[in-house]
Each structure stands twice: as C-alpha cells, then as structure tokens.
Amino acid sequence: MGSIQKVVLNFRPGKNGEPVAENFRTEEGSLPQDLQEGQVKVCTKCLSVDPYMRCRMNEDTGVAYVLPWQVSSVVTGGGVGVVEESKHLKFQKCDVVTSFNWPWQSQAIVDGQILTKLNPQLVDGHLSYFLGAVGMPGLTSLLGVREKGHVTPGANQTMVVSGAAGACGMLAGQIGRLEGCSRVVGICGTEEKCQVLVCEMGFDAAINYKQDNIVEKLREYCPAGVDAYFDNVGGDTSNTVIGQMNQNSHIILCGQISQYNKDVPYPPPLPPDTEAILKERNITRERFLMLDYADKHEVGLVLLSQWLKEGKLKVRETVVKGLENIGAAFESMMKGGNIGKQIVLVSDE
C-alpha cells in the first residue's frame, strides 16, 4: 500500500463562527492495492475552495443539494486529476477527469460514476481553468447573466457586480459586457483589486467598499441607475446597490458571502425598507442554481472555452501549492484574500 496525504474536517467552526485553517487536519493514509469493478484510481492535480463550502462545515447545510462534511472524514469538493488505473469502462489511464465530489487527497480510489472526462484542449492544457472560467464559476456567471440578468444588446444597460474580484464576480462582469451591457461596475475590498478589474478585466469602474462611499460612487459611475446586479455578497453592500436600481431591473442572486458565517436562512431576508424598494420598482430577486440548467452546461462550457481562447475572457488565479495548505487557502478565500479563482495545486508533475 502506497502512502497518501489526505485532509479531514478537524472540527466545525460553529454556525456563527469564522472558518480558520485549523478547522482542517492533514493526515497520512494509504490506498488498497486492488481496484473493485467500476472504481478508478486518480492522482489529484488541483482542488477548488469556494464560498459555498462554508455551509458544508455546519452539521446542517440548510439546503437539500449540498451535504455537510463529517468531522474526521475526508473533505470533498471540486477537483481535477489524472487517471492512474481504471476498472471502469468509461475511463482509461492518463484520462483527465473532474468531479464536484473529489476527495481532498493526493491520490484516491473513487467510484467512476462521480467522474467526468475532460478535454484538456478546451483550456490549452491549463487544467485549473476547469475549476474556474471553464468550470462551475464560469457556468454560474454565464447562466446567471443569461437566465436572470435579462441583458439586451443595444439597450444601454448598466451592470453592477459585488464580490467583483472573486471567481464568479470577475467572470460575471466580463460576461455582462460580452452579452451586451454598455457599462459594468465592480465592487470589491482593496485598491489592488480595483486596479485589476479596471486595467485587466475591462470593468468601467470599481468601488472599494472599505474606503469609498458606495452610494456616492454608484451615483457617479452609474448615472442612469443600475439595470442588472450580480450579487455575490448580500448584506449592507447589496442593500445599498438595490437602492440605486431602476424600475423593472434584475438581481442575479449568486451568493451571499457576507452572511455565510451567520445562522440565517438562504437567501437571507432583506430589511423591510429594501424589500419595499423591490416591490415598488418591480425588481426581480430570484434564487439562482446552476444545477437547474444542466441541459445548458455543455454548450456553455464550449462558449466559455472559445471566449478564453479568443482573449475575450481574461482569467486571474490565486494559487497555493501543497495539499497541506488547503485549510489556509480556504480561510484566506473566505476573508477575501484571493484575486480571481482560489486554486490549490496538489501536484504539478
């Protein structure tokens, strides 16, 4: 039996607690020598840490489609790797594969049913992009804008994106532009992030919510009001943006990271005055789940790949090396330490 590295949930942070690196524990382990029928042995290349995972640290995730992680059990999430051995008809050695339920292990033996074969040419061999621009964040951004944003080319619409320097936000702003928005404004938490959004990602303007007066900046940067709001954060920032939204405008409810360390339902309820604005201005605010649009995933991934290759979609990643550092990467991501997609590189061999 060969030795492997694995990461388990060490203890829960509590529903109202902030996650820390110590919530995770790295252990040594081993794998069986022989595979059972239908199993696949994989070598992990890279793993994803994402805000939605915060609810998996609780005993009850609060949603039906995501299961909680168990204390002292191996953590799972989005991952990409290479097949080393297979007893599943769909997979053979050297195939590049992915799963939403990839074990946080250096190597693993998994049921082939959880795996999807990937074509590395879609990302020009940059496998981590399958966890970002040509993966779940890319699809979430694309389908969110298309299905809930009601963007119409030529309609001179303005889109605002909160959490704009994160994995989804950075892509959503660019996609809003590609889909026809004439103005895109991002909200983020540092001057460096603001610079990246405007100078690299093509946003018209960026607001630093920690330093700027958001109301004043929104009035300056969105003189015609806000038509579409891609909401990644919730809380006070979102309440402020909603106050600047136009009649018959639309909120793309992607995430509420400012509320994830609080014991509140999802999506969190709005203050009465904000709720009143929604009704008065006929603003839509519907929960958006990428899983509801499975029939559009394949076409969406091809389009995202095409935009990427044509240089229309730009990518930034924050990469941490080493499986043993995944807890620190998770803590940093939840505090906004990443620019673009947070990736953990497990093996670059």
Side-chain angles (χ1 to χ4, degrees):
M1 291 191 180
S3 178
I4 64 158
Q5 202 177 30
K6 60 183 181 179
V7 174
V8 303
L9 184 64
N10 193 26
F11 62 93
R12 302 187 191 279
K15 282 192 171 184
N16 295 302
E18 291 193 8
V20 294
E22 291 74 26
N23 289 127
F24 303 96
R25 184 174 76 245
T26 305
E27 296 181 347
E28 295 294 313
S30 59
L31 297 178
Q33 289 284 9
D34 299 320
L35 300 185
Q36 304 296 317
E37 285 301 318
Q39 288 185 328
V40 180
K41 183 181 179 183
V42 291
C43 173
T44 305
K45 292 298 180 183
C46 46
L47 295 169
S48 174
V49 290
D50 302 282
Y52 84 88
M53 292 175 165
R54 174 60 186 85
C55 72
R56 301 194 71 183
M57 302 180 83
N58 299 333
E59 287 186 36
D60 179 4
T61 63
V63 291
Y65 55 89
V66 178
L67 295 174
W69 292 327
Q70 299 303 317
V71 174
S72 295
S73 293
V74 174
V75 176
T76 60
V80 172
V82 175
V83 173
E84 293 190 327
E85 189 181 342
S86 174
K87 282 201 172 181
H88 192 287
L89 293 174
K90 284 187 179 179
F91 305 104
Q92 56 189 25
K93 189 175 180 180
C94 296
D95 281 349
V96 177
V97 289
T98 188
S99 174
F100 286 129
N101 296 298
W102 196 285
W104 286 11
Q105 298 182 180
S106 55
Q107 292 173 294
I109 293 175
V110 299
D111 186 331
Q113 289 185 326
I114 74 165
L115 299 174
T116 301
K117 188 174 176 179
L118 297 171
N119 176 5
Q121 291 182 337
L122 284 175
V123 292
D124 290 333
H126 204 302
L127 299 185
S128 62
Y129 287 1
F130 284 122
L131 300 175
V134 190
M136 184 180 71
L139 280 175
T140 300
S141 302
L142 175 65
L143 295 173
V145 170
R146 286 191 165 179
E147 300 296 328
K148 300 295 184 183
H150 301 273
V151 174
T152 306
N156 204 31
Q157 290 166 298
T158 296
M159 174 182 282
V160 170
V161 182
S162 60
C168 283
M170 192 172 279
L171 297 170
Q174 296 180 78
I175 290 169
R177 171 84 77 207
L178 289 166
E179 291 289 286
C181 285
S182 59
R183 192 159 186 77
V184 178
V185 176
I187 302 174
C188 55
T190 70
E191 287 303 305
E192 182 188 6
K193 290 178 179 180
C194 288
Q195 286 290 318
V196 169
L197 292 178
V198 174
C199 299
E200 295 182 30
M201 302 298 157
F203 283 60
D204 293 285
I207 299 168
N208 181 345
Y209 74 88
K210 292 181 181 177
Q211 292 184 2
D212 297 332
N213 183 310
I214 301 178
V215 174
E216 288 180 5
K217 290 294 184 181
L218 283 172
R219 287 173 180 159
E220 177 185 347
Y221 295 148
C222 311
V226 178
D227 301 295
Y229 172 41
F230 198 99
D231 185 8
N232 286 302
V233 303
D236 292 341
T237 295
S238 290
N239 297 334
T240 303
V241 175
I242 291 168
Q244 303 299 312
M245 293 186 74
N246 292 327
Q247 193 75 23
N248 302 317
S249 54
H250 304 281
I251 298 170
I252 304 157
L253 192 58
C254 178
Q256 304 279 281
I257 193 170
S258 72
Q259 308 297 301
Y260 287 172
N261 294 328
K262 300 175 183 177
D263 185 11
V264 294
Y266 186 86
L270 296 171
D273 54 343
T274 304
E275 196 69 58
I277 291 172
L278 292 190
K279 291 176 181 175
E280 289 164 12
R281 300 182 195 171
N282 193 35
I283 300 171
T284 63
R285 181 183 182 256
E286 299 169 349
R287 189 172 183 172
F288 167 72
L289 268 182
M290 188 193 77
L291 301 174
D292 292 339
Y293 301 93
D295 58 324
K296 299 183 179 182
H297 288 187
E298 190 172 345
V299 172
L301 290 172
V302 171
L303 177 60
L304 290 163
S305 167
Q306 182 183 325
W307 280 342
L308 189 67
K309 290 184 176 186
E310 292 172 353
K312 293 178 179 177
L313 199 61
K314 295 179 173 62
V315 174
R316 276 286 294 256
E317 293 180 320
T318 298
V319 179
V320 169
K321 292 186 176 182
L323 182 61
E324 69 278 7
N325 296 315
I326 199 165
F330 186 89
E331 178 182 354
S332 173
M333 177 272 304
M334 287 298 296
K335 292 178 176 175
N338 57 303
I339 297 180
K341 182 78 189 83
Q342 178 72 62
I343 294 290
V344 177
L345 185 65
V346 178
S347 168
D348 54 3
E349 296 175 2

